[in-house]
Amino acid sequence: MKSTIPEPTLRRLSYYLRYLERFKEKGLNIISSKELSIALGLSDAQVRRDLFTLGGFGKRGVGYDVSKLFNFLNTFLGLDNLQSIILVGCGNLGKALLQYKGFKKRKFIITHAFDNDKRLIGKKIAGINIQDSKEMQREIRKHKIIYGIIATPASSAQGVVNSMIDYGIKAVLNFAPIKIHVSQGIVISSVDLTTELEWLSFHVHHGT
Amino acid sequence: MKSTIPEPTLRRLSYYLRYLERFKEKGLNIISSKELSIALGLSDAQVRRDLFTLGGFGKRGVGYDVSKLFNFLNTFLGLDNLQSIILVGCGNLGKALLQYKGFKKRKFIITHAFDNDKRLIGKKIAGINIQDSKEMQREIRKHKIIYGIIATPASSAQGVVNSMIDYGIKAVLNFAPIKIHVSQGIVISSVDLTTELEWLSFHVHHGT
DNA sequence: CCTTGTGAAAACTTTCACAGCT
DNA sequence: AGCTGTGAAAGTTTTCACAAGG
């Protein structure tokens, strides 16, 4: 594992993993680059290149071993153990994320939720108690949590992220519609719903 | 408007728009590629290239006219008029999307919501009545809606998208964790939360 | 002197095409 | 015969670097 993996390849890895899991459930042991490419909507050449870059797991004339590849990707992505997440901002989106079942299925679990709205503190959503943001530092340190989700308004997002990072968070998933600046060594990924709609709008108005 | 805009540039346009709006609110009339680049976390060369590709809106020695550029991008992205959206799947995520205020602020509005769960049909979320999915065809045609959001489980997503498109939807925002296949002329964008977490996981485990 | 416009270089990603195993 | 591995070509995006204009 040394030659650097291209970012686009990395982004596809989760999808490979998901489809490999499905193929496994269906009882398939071997899969070809062609079959994978059809499922994922890629070219077969790209699938081969991606898997080749990861180390080359196939057998010529045969294909890829589904379980072997699945296990490799799972470990490679760091998904062998359950990973805890804190969530800050328990408005509509935050609440939905707390209730979202998809995370647990993939070995991520939101264990703590914070807000600074007195009306929300103390409420329980999906079994998780909403705590005062002031408790954040204690909880992050105590449980050595490194993942944080930001579902606050844009105006407070950067400040909350700065605090999180001070307390030990290493990776942030941001839902606030703003560019968050973080220092070296911290990873951040942003999901911006209106940006997606605007991109669709462009294509609709300019004919794909 | 003919030379094809690179996809990555297109993706950045929403962010330019958002920051231009903020600069406008602050009363700034002129902005340099440098200032924009800092706000968006890009290089100044990239900002200049992006804006140059769009047509070149700057004045040498001066910068870019904030209002002019904002208006251009707004129109270019097709955001001059309010655009209606239907939402299918009113589970946790769907409900949160119905309540999400961010859409309206950016000229998108969810006007109809559908589900096929009897327990949800007839309920009202954020002023929108959840209708039986059977009504989808009628509503899409009647109101000539072209945007659809999918917040159903993965297993039914492709089927729902197929129906939507049959009825007239041209652009789909997909939240189901599955690759949706659509025909030429239909635009689709997917938001996949666990994929984002897995990408973070990789970086955490491999040191940025 | 400041900042954009822009051709050209550099960097990166995808695709081609076929050699090489099974 | 079938399918991966892989160097090389093609295609795409970013960055450089400086000319041009206010």
Side-chain angles (χ1 to χ4, degrees):
Chain A
M1 212 81 40
K2 68 92 342 274
S3 66
T4 157
I5 315 286
E7 200 53 39
T9 298
L10 227 40
R11 287 258 167 209
R12 286 190 287 270
L13 259 34
S14 295
Y15 287 102
Y16 286 119
L17 188 65
R18 196 158 299 163
Y19 278 91
L20 286 167
E21 188 170 42
R22 284 182 192 143
F23 287 130
K24 222 169 58 160
E25 281 163 6
K26 280 188 196 156
L28 274 116
N29 296 317
I30 297 290
I31 191 91
S32 69
S33 57
K34 194 78 208 280
E35 293 167 290
L36 261 174
S37 73
I38 290 168
L40 302 210
L42 307 168
S43 71
D44 55 332
Q46 184 158 68
V47 171
R48 282 202 299 284
R49 171 66 60 187
D50 283 347
L51 300 182
F52 169 63
T53 304
L54 290 178
F57 292 90
K59 265 204 174 55
R60 300 184 207 228
V62 182
Y64 299 90
D65 182 310
V66 174
S67 290
K68 204 172 103 191
L69 191 49
F70 175 85
N71 291 150
F72 172 79
L73 283 178
N74 210 53
T75 302
F76 188 67
L77 291 173
L79 306 174
D80 287 324
N81 304 303
L82 195 65
Q83 314 197 72
S84 299
I85 310 173
I86 64 157
L87 179 142
V88 182
C90 299
N92 293 323
L93 185 60
K95 276 182 204 151
L97 293 172
L98 282 171
Q99 293 171 312
Y100 182 56
K101 306 263 191 332
F103 291 144
K104 275 166 214 152
K105 242 170 65 184
R106 305 224 122 265
K107 301 270 211 86
F108 286 101
I109 183 167
I110 299 176
T111 52
H112 298 80
F114 303 94
D115 205 297
N116 49 23
D117 183 335
K118 293 269 182 294
R119 287 164 297 181
L120 292 171
I121 295 166
K123 272 200 176 176
K124 226 176 186 148
I125 308 277
I128 295 154
N129 199 37
I130 300 176
Q131 294 177 270
D132 191 316
S133 298
K134 289 172 193 146
E135 308 291 329
M136 200 166 73
Q137 176 166 16
R138 186 199 347 272
E139 299 290 4
I140 292 174
R141 296 220 160 122
K142 183 165 156 199
H143 302 285
K144 295 197 170 51
I145 298 173
I146 56 174
Y147 294 90
I149 295 180
I150 289 285
T152 67
S155 53
S156 45
Q158 180 72 61
V160 172
V161 171
N162 293 348
S163 306
M164 277 184 170
I165 292 172
D166 276 352
Y167 306 154
I169 293 295
K170 298 280 182 240
V172 177
L173 180 53
N174 168 48
F175 285 90
I178 195 165
K179 169 81 195 176
I180 303 283
H181 298 261
V182 295
S183 51
Q184 267 281 313
I186 306 296
V187 217
I188 181 148
S189 182
S190 290
V191 173
D192 190 324
L193 306 181
T194 47
T195 287
E196 296 299 324
L197 285 174
E198 289 174 359
W199 180 83
L200 291 177
S201 174
F202 170 84
H203 284 292
V204 162
H205 288 261
H206 291 76
T208 301
Chain B
M1 213 80 40
K2 98 48 5 271
S3 67
T4 157
I5 315 284
E7 199 55 39
T9 298
L10 229 39
R11 288 257 165 209
R12 286 189 287 269
L13 260 33
S14 296
Y15 288 102
Y16 286 119
L17 189 65
R18 195 157 300 161
Y19 278 92
L20 286 167
E21 188 171 41
R22 287 186 189 141
F23 287 131
K24 221 169 60 161
E25 283 163 5
K26 280 188 200 157
L28 275 118
N29 296 316
I30 297 290
I31 191 93
S32 70
S33 58
K34 193 81 209 280
E35 292 167 293
L36 261 175
S37 74
I38 290 168
L40 304 209
L42 307 169
S43 71
D44 56 332
Q46 184 157 68
V47 171
R48 284 203 299 284
R49 169 66 62 187
D50 282 347
L51 299 182
F52 169 62
T53 304
L54 290 178
F57 291 90
K59 266 203 173 57
R60 300 185 207 228
V62 182
Y64 299 91
D65 181 309
V66 174
S67 290
K68 204 173 101 189
L69 190 50
F70 175 84
N71 292 149
F72 171 78
L73 282 178
N74 210 51
T75 303
F76 188 67
L77 291 174
L79 304 175
D80 287 324
N81 304 302
L82 196 65
Q83 313 198 70
S84 298
I85 310 174
I86 64 158
L87 179 141
V88 183
C90 301
N92 293 323
L93 185 59
K95 275 182 205 153
L97 293 172
L98 282 170
Q99 295 171 310
Y100 183 57
K101 306 261 190 336
F103 291 143
K104 276 166 212 150
K105 240 169 68 182
R106 305 223 123 265
K107 300 269 211 85
F108 287 100
I109 183 167
I110 300 176
T111 53
H112 297 80
F114 303 94
D115 206 297
N116 49 24
D117 184 334
K118 293 269 182 295
R119 287 163 298 180
L120 292 172
I121 296 166
K123 272 199 176 177
K124 225 175 186 149
I125 308 277
I128 295 153
N129 199 36
I130 300 176
Q131 294 176 269
D132 191 318
S133 298
K134 289 172 193 148
E135 309 290 329
M136 199 166 72
Q137 177 166 16
R138 187 201 346 276
E139 299 289 5
I140 292 175
R141 297 220 159 121
K142 184 166 156 198
H143 302 284
K144 296 196 169 51
I145 298 172
I146 57 174
Y147 294 90
I149 295 180
I150 290 283
T152 67
S155 53
S156 45
Q158 181 71 61
V160 172
V161 171
N162 294 347
S163 307
M164 277 184 169
I165 292 172
D166 277 353
Y167 306 152
I169 293 293
K170 298 280 182 243
V172 178
L173 180 53
N174 169 48
F175 285 90
I178 194 164
K179 169 83 196 174
I180 302 284
H181 299 261
V182 296
S183 51
Q184 266 281 312
I186 305 296
V187 218
I188 181 150
S189 183
S190 291
V191 173
D192 190 323
L193 306 181
T194 46
T195 286
E196 296 300 323
L197 285 174
E198 288 174 0
W199 180 83
L200 290 177
S201 174
F202 169 83
H203 284 291
V204 162
H205 288 261
H206 290 77
T208 300

